[in-house]
Amino acid sequence: MNYLVGVFKPPCNIFVSFADGRRREQVPLKKENGKTVMVALFQSQENIVGEVVIEPIHGMKVEHNGVKIELLGQIELYFDRGNFYDFTSLVRELDVPGELYERKTYPFEFSTVEMPYESYNGVNVRLRYILKVTISRNFVSNIVEYQDFVVRNYTPPPSINNSIKMEVGIEDCLHIEFEYSKSKYHLKDVIIGKIYFLLVRIKLKNMELEIRRRESTGSGPNTYVETETLAKFELMDGAPVRGESIPIRLFLSPYELTPTYRNINNKYSVKYYLNLVLVDEEDRRYFKQQEITMYRLLEAS
Amino acid sequence: MLNGIDDEEKWLAEGIAGIQHNAFYMHQALDSNNLREALKYSAQMLSELRTSKLSPHKYYELYMRAFDELRKLEMFFKEDSKHGVSVIDLYELVQHAGNILPRLYLLCTVGSVYIKSKEAPAKEVLKDLVEMCRGVQHPIRGLFLRSYLAQISRDKLPDIGSEYEGDADTVMDAVEFVLQNFTEMNKLWVQMQHQGPGRFREKQEKERSELRDLVGKNLHVLSQIEGVDLGIYKETVLTRVLEQVVNCKDDLAQYYLMDCIIQVFPDEYHLQTLETLLGACPQLQPTVDVKTVLSRLMDRLSNYAASSEDVLPEFLQVEAFTKLSNAIGKVIEAQVDMPAVGAITLYVSLLTFTLCVHPDRLDYVDQVLGACVKKLYNIPKLEDSRAMKQVVALLSAPLEKYNDIVTALTLSNYPRVMDHLDNGTNKVMAMVIIQSIMKNNTFISTAHKLDEEDFKDEQNSVARLIHMLYNDEPEEMLKIICIVRKHTMAGGPKRLPFTVPSLVFSALRLVWRLQGQEGDIVGEEVPATPKKIFQLLTQIIEALSAVPSPELALRLYLQCAEAANGCDLELVAYEFFTQAFVLYEEEIADSKAQVTAIHLIIGTLQRMNVFGVENRDTMTHKTTGYSARLLKKPDQCRAVYACSHLFWVDDQDGIKDGERVLLCLKRALRIANAAQQMANVARGSSGPVILFVEILNKYLYFFEKGNQQITGAAIQDLIELINTEMQSDSATPDTASDAFLASTLRYIQFQKQKGGVMGEKFEAIKF
């Protein structure tokens, strides 16, 4: 019986845990299988300390050529699935070759790890951080266990944060001036602004503000661009008259935004845009798109 | 289109079902304290209000459903122990809703709780809400949303004494909030007309009217804010509201809002801001019914003035009359097309106002009437019955106020306004006046300190008034005459000479009218018979003896006699003549008056054809007798030759007694002779021969008319006699007589040359 079991199941269980696991913030992470799990959250230059527990299944002996733990930062492009670009790779040897009969605990530590990029789960690309425990074996495949964790990096408020102000229009038809109070927003920010109607000769039906995410992956001829509309927020109902000004107040917190990522490891970029859309009675859409920069605010403690 | 209404019902039903459905789940969420679900379902419920398919009326129904549900939601929001979210967070949370309309309804609902919690100053929250609501520009949806905002904020304004009152000057915040909401609502309301296809304009207007109270409500709220004193009202509220009213350039809105302003704010505010308020009127669209607006304003002020005497000085202080009067003038001037009724309505209001506020200023009253006359200048008789009614109101107002017709009639423009009425209305007016007289019997006996001229004017007015009493129904007319008689008879000796003639002629006119329809008068039952009227007339004229005014009475008797003649009432006519003679004998002593009277008698008698031979003889005998007994010879002479006409009436059935004509003329010649002699004796020169020339003319008249007794020879003799007289030494040269004679002779010559029967006849006269 036991023999048979060993064919289908690894002969031991591997657990990875963090030293400050209980106190550390847990954030949801969507796995490949669609399930969301809670994982530990880190930021760059933190010490990643913890322990690996290997527990052979009852009565079984694990022969190995050594045990190691790696910290990997990987970018996976979906058009090139299966190929991982490791931009970060750190290794700690946990055990010399030998045999395991019983549960064994290996502490590990990666000090002040540079993790410049944030975890990201996009349409065509994924950036993830993992701890990979490998029990190397002869003749049979290695026993490997992964532990995901998430990295988020915080930035202080930008010193320069100009408003976005612009006058646009269609000649003799529609003339508007809009203003967003800032060009850089943190993820829980509020977009404040107003739209001022200088000329309205078309019958408008409504107006909305969209938040769009533009993810571009690859480079050169293999560039893939994917745009998602993350928010559709109605700003105005009905037709304004000349001289009317419509307020904008859009809370960003309900939306799943990330900071703006520019050219991450030459593999991808994620940018955010505000798209102001005016719809007329014939459902024609007039729009103006403006890039905004998103950042993760470093809360002043 | 055919199923438009059915469809609407269907859409409404669907909307209601949608609300009920989501409300059900909302209730469940509320019961289980599930905030997230509650927000989700309430937003879905409110999405039903996003419809564009319903008319305002139906939309209102939908709105009310949602409104009730929102009350429950508000209760839930209030209990943060249940949902565990602070009101500040809640205020943000509801703003996550993607659709604006549900978002803002929820925001207002939370806002209400927010203010109540006092975690933020009321003014901040209100300011935010009223500003955010700008996002809804659809007129109907916007109006209802803002009306919801107004509703939930009403009891939360930072008014003076309110629990939400903040630091200094928070009243201004309350005012500012309501004003802003008002302005935006009005803009939406005005926008409504530009929505949808233009072909249902009428329907649209109707729909707009249905929503007007939503807008007007704001003004009501403003008037309820304790802290709005006169200063704030003047400087901020009125200025801003009027600015919006004028700028919206929409007649429906302007009319309604002006009326609203007048109705909701206190009278004393209106009085103190009269200039501003009136100043806005000419700036309104030309199609706005400004007259009604002004009328209402004046009515209000009138009532205010009537409410207490203490407020009157205020009116004087602000010169209310002048301002109103000017404003009306401007409006009438500006609105050229305004129908007469409109203008008169305005004047009625102004008059009522004047009478209330300045009862002592008759000149103001007259000024108003004068302005009215000016307006009616181009319309001799009004034909519009509504306008007429207004004129009656205009004319009645002073009567009611003064209870004294005389006061009213001293107004110089009063009768001039009356001139514009048609007969029927004149009668109505007359009745009003008479009723006024009757109501106030004292006026007759009141001694007036008016000077003579005023008195005459006034009495002339009364006389004119009597002429205006008219009714097509003889019986009614007779009643009127009786009533007038009753009142004029009490008028005393000073007034009677003015009023009696009018009354007499008024009665005579009735007689003539009855005469005209003689055939219709059947039986004894008819009250208005000429006989009866003549009896009345006798009594009326008798009254003049008290004055006494015999000359006038005599004339009136003669008029009556002639009328009786027309009615073929010999005895009545005789009686009137008798009265006239009696007066002549007993009352008329002055010789000049006698001459006039005798000529009147002769003239009248000549025209009488009702008398039988005997009666006529009596009359003519008397008349010739009186004529011959006049004091001065020339008067005698002229009266006597005039009497000749009594015996020769130049129509078909007229009496033609040539002999007696000749007798009269001869007698006249004798008298003329005697006059000549008397002159010789008295002054040493003979008098003018003009009497002879006059008699010659009478000869020629009767000669021409074919009186056989007048011969060519007799005329020839007379001419000779005249020539002799003129050439005598004692003759006084008199160019008038010379000219008269010369033209008479020329006439004879002319007739001769004309030839024919007449020419031959005149050939007999040789000189």
Side-chain angles (χ1 to χ4, degrees), chain B residues 94-111:
Chain B
V94 293
Q95 293 186 65
H96 294 173
N99 282 320
I100 187 159
L101 197 67
R103 177 165 78 232
L104 291 177
Y105 271 105
L106 290 174
L107 191 65
C108 290
T109 312
V110 179

Side-chain angles (χ1 to χ4, degrees), chain A residues 45-240:
Chain A
Q45 298 194 321
E46 266 193 301
N47 297 328
I48 299 177
V49 184
E51 52 186 31
V52 177
V53 176
I54 299 175
E55 196 177 59
I57 288 170
H58 183 69
M60 294 203 48
K61 176 187 78 173
V62 181
E63 245 180 287
H64 63 86
N65 282 343
V67 179
K68 64 175 177 183
I69 183 164
E70 292 166 284
L71 188 155
L72 300 173
Q74 300 181 322
I75 294 171
E76 182 185 8
L77 294 163
Y78 295 158
F79 60 83
D80 192 14
R81 199 172 280 270
N83 272 331
F84 303 102
Y85 299 90
D86 294 347
F87 57 88
T88 295
S89 176
L90 301 168
V91 188
R92 296 285 181 274
E93 297 293 343
L94 296 179
D95 207 350
V96 292
E99 288 176 346
L100 287 170
Y101 299 98
E102 55 189 0
R103 176 191 161 104
K104 196 169 178 190
T105 303
Y106 305 97
F108 67 88
E109 175 171 356
F110 299 96
S111 304
T112 49
V113 188
E114 282 291 341
M115 296 179 286
Y117 310 129
E118 288 200 343
S119 303
Y120 174 66
N121 213 337
V123 182
N124 286 325
V125 64
R126 180 168 66 158
L127 187 149
R128 64 172 191 165
Y129 288 92
I130 41 175
L131 288 170
K132 183 181 177 187
V133 179
T134 310
I135 302 173
S136 316
R137 294 195 291 182
N138 286 326
F139 314 116
V140 285
S141 61
N142 296 339
I143 302 171
V144 179
E145 177 64 27
Y146 298 98
Q147 173 62 53
D148 285 85
F149 66 93
V150 167
V151 171
R152 288 178 183 172
N153 288 322
Y154 302 87
T155 44
S159 52
I160 300 170
N161 199 348
N162 295 323
S163 67
I164 300 174
K165 198 170 178 178
M166 193 173 266
E167 201 183 309
V168 290
I170 309 162
E171 204 175 315
D172 293 332
C173 212
L174 180 68
H175 237 79
I176 63 169
E177 187 184 285
F178 62 82
E179 182 177 355
Y180 309 125
S181 57
K182 296 188 274 191
S183 52
K184 295 168 183 161
Y185 296 91
H186 65 80
L187 302 182
K188 309 285 176 203
D189 218 339
V190 191
I191 299 175
I192 303 286
K194 64 166 183 260
I195 298 113
Y196 186 70
F197 286 85
L198 299 163
L199 177 78
V200 196
R201 292 241 176 93
I202 45 176
K203 289 202 166 179
L204 292 175
K205 195 164 74 177
N206 70 351
M207 173 168 69
E208 54 193 27
L209 192 61
E210 294 176 342
I211 300 173
R212 314 185 94 194
R213 172 157 65 199
R214 190 165 169 275
E215 178 192 284
S216 64
T217 47
S219 58
N222 289 328
T223 306
Y224 296 82
V225 176
E226 201 67 49
T227 307
E228 290 169 275
T229 301
L230 303 176
K232 265 182 192 247
F233 189 75
E234 195 182 14
L235 291 176
M236 183 184 74
D237 170 23

Side-chain angles (χ1 to χ4, degrees), chain B residues 9-49:
Chain B
E9 288 292 347
K10 201 180 82 197
W11 290 321
L12 176 62
E14 278 170 13
I16 291 173
I19 286 182
Q20 284 171 338
H21 174 82
N22 287 301
F24 173 79
Y25 288 108
M26 186 185 89
H27 293 160
Q28 276 194 340
L30 297 184
D31 290 343
S32 54
N33 297 334
N34 188 334
L35 179 64
R36 183 167 291 276
E37 292 281 292
L39 289 180
K40 177 181 149 195
Y41 286 110
S42 56
Q44 280 181 20
M45 173 185 83
L46 290 164
S47 286
E48 295 295 340
L49 292 177

Side-chain angles (χ1 to χ4, degrees), chain B residues 453-498:
Chain B
E453 202 165 309
D454 276 356
F455 177 76
K456 273 185 186 164
D457 279 353
E458 170 194 316
Q459 289 305 315
N460 280 333
S461 305
V462 178
R464 291 175 65 174
L465 166 74
I466 293 170
H467 281 299
M468 283 160 190
L469 310 173
Y470 181 81
N471 191 310
D472 276 330
E473 276 303 307
E475 288 164 43
E476 278 302 306
M477 189 64 209
L478 184 61
K479 276 184 203 157
I480 293 174
I481 291 171
C482 288
I483 293 168
V484 175
R485 175 178 159 250
K486 196 171 136 203
H487 291 283
T488 43
M489 285 304 114
K494 274 186 117 178
R495 288 189 185 83
L496 283 178
F498 294 96

Side-chain angles (χ1 to χ4, degrees), chain B residues 483-534:
Chain B
I483 293 168
V484 175
R485 175 178 159 250
K486 196 171 136 203
H487 291 283
T488 43
M489 285 304 114
K494 274 186 117 178
R495 288 189 185 83
L496 283 178
F498 294 96
T499 49
V500 165
S502 301
L503 187 56
V504 168
F505 279 101
S506 184
L508 287 178
R509 212 162 45 207
L510 178 60
V511 171
W512 289 319
R513 233 172 54 226
L514 287 171
Q515 188 59 17
Q517 54 185 36
E518 202 175 13
D520 299 339
I521 302 172
V522 190
E524 296 272 307
E525 298 304 300
V526 183
T529 61
K531 252 189 198 162
K532 227 175 171 165
I533 298 167
F534 283 124

